[in-house]
């Protein structure tokens, strides 16, 4: 079975309540965590090591938080095909490490739509970076695990425990299909 060790993860979540399910397992397997904005604050506040995305990319969040994860260092780390010698060489040249796990849940646009808030506030719930991260990881499921639904945190922890910090191709394909269904 095709297993992939999880060494580095990006976590950018709107719904943060269930992080307590996955963080201990990521810590157990020494997974480096990169995170943005309020996700970074929450993870750090829970006592877990985490690298703020702006420190990772060298570029601050901008445009009132509209641009956080849309960066070549992030997307190249996710999208590179690990078996592709040219990809490996290019990433090495640019000093871009692999990102093996993407945990993202989207802004609650539909919930806010039902709350009938004004259009200026509502438009800020249109997620751009989140869907881009999800689709990048789902596209590269051969090498990357994507979790786009908090209900899958338990499945992820079971998978990582069962395979000692790795995920199976079967699990990655299933999570990829769910992610494409969402986006």
């Amino acid at each position: 079975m095709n297993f992939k060790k999880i060494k580095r993860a990006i976590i950018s979540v709107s719904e943060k309540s269930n992080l307590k399910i996955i963080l201990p397992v990521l810590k157990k397997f020494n997974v480096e965590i990169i995170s943005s904005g309020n996700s970074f604050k929450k993870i750090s506040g829970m006592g877990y090591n985490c690298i703020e995305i702006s420190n990772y990319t060298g570029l601050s969040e901008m445009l009132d938080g509209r641009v956080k994860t849309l960066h070549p260092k992030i997307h190249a780390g996710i999208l590179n095909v690990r078996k592709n010698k040219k990809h490996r060489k290019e990433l090495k040249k640019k000093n871009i490490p692999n990102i093996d796990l993407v945990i993202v849940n989207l802004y609650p646009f539909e919930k806010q739509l039902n709350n009938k808030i004004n259009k200026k506030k509502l438009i800020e719930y249109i997620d751009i970076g989140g869907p881009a991260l999800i689709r990048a990881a789902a596209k590269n499921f051969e090498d990357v695990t994507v979790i786009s639904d908090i209900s899958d945190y338990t499945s992820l922890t079971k998978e990582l425990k069962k395979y000692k910090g790795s995920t199976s191709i079967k699990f990655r394909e299933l999570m990829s299909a769910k992610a494409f269904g969402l986006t």
Side-chain angles (χ1 to χ4, degrees), residues 60-73:
S60 301
E61 290 183 15
M62 52 198 311
L63 307 177
D64 300 318
R66 282 183 166 199
V67 178
K68 296 182 267 256
T69 60
L70 297 169
H71 191 281
K73 189 171 183 179

Side-chain angles (χ1 to χ4, degrees), residues 13-176:
V13 292
S14 177
E15 174 55 55
K16 297 164 187 60
S17 63
N18 284 356
L19 288 173
K20 63 186 175 288
I21 295 171
I22 55 171
L23 291 174
V25 177
L26 296 179
K27 182 178 180 176
K28 176 182 178 179
F29 292 108
N30 299 311
V31 175
E32 180 182 79
I33 300 171
I34 305 159
S35 194
S36 62
N38 290 327
S39 297
F40 170 79
K41 290 175 190 167
K42 178 71 172 180
I43 293 165
S44 298
M46 293 172 69
Y48 292 92
N49 290 332
C50 188
I51 301 166
E52 194 162 12
I53 203 154
S54 57
N55 291 332
Y56 183 77
T57 62
L59 189 66
S60 301
E61 290 183 15
M62 52 198 311
L63 307 177
D64 300 318
R66 282 183 166 199
V67 178
K68 296 182 267 256
T69 60
L70 297 169
H71 191 281
K73 189 171 183 179
I74 300 296
H75 287 275
I78 296 167
L79 283 165
N80 77 89
V81 176
R82 305 325 193 245
K83 291 179 182 177
N84 184 313
K85 192 174 183 178
K86 183 180 175 194
H87 286 197
R88 287 195 316 270
K89 188 175 179 180
E90 195 170 351
L91 262 60
K92 186 175 182 177
K93 182 178 177 183
K94 300 208 184 279
N95 196 28
I96 297 174
N98 293 332
I99 296 174
D100 312 300
L101 172 63
V102 173
I103 300 175
V104 174
N105 56 62
L106 304 176
Y107 296 150
F109 178 79
E110 290 175 4
K111 180 180 175 185
Q112 295 302 326
L113 186 62
N114 293 334
N115 287 341
K116 299 190 187 328
I117 63 174
N118 74 49
K119 286 181 185 177
K120 279 191 173 192
K121 284 186 177 180
L122 180 63
I123 206 157
E124 296 309 320
Y125 286 94
I126 298 172
D127 202 325
I128 305 301
L133 288 170
I134 290 170
R135 291 182 68 81
K139 178 178 181 169
N140 202 21
F141 70 88
E142 289 282 339
D143 294 310
V144 180
T145 305
V146 60
I147 304 295
S148 58
D149 185 335
I150 62 171
S151 69
D152 291 318
Y153 289 2
T154 302
S155 298
L156 174 64
T157 61
K158 287 178 184 175
E159 183 83 358
L160 291 172
K161 287 176 182 178
K162 182 177 181 179
Y163 299 117
K164 298 177 177 66
S166 296
T167 59
S168 65
I169 186 65
K170 183 178 177 183
F171 182 76
R172 292 192 306 277
E173 282 179 316
L174 175 63
M175 293 299 108
S176 175

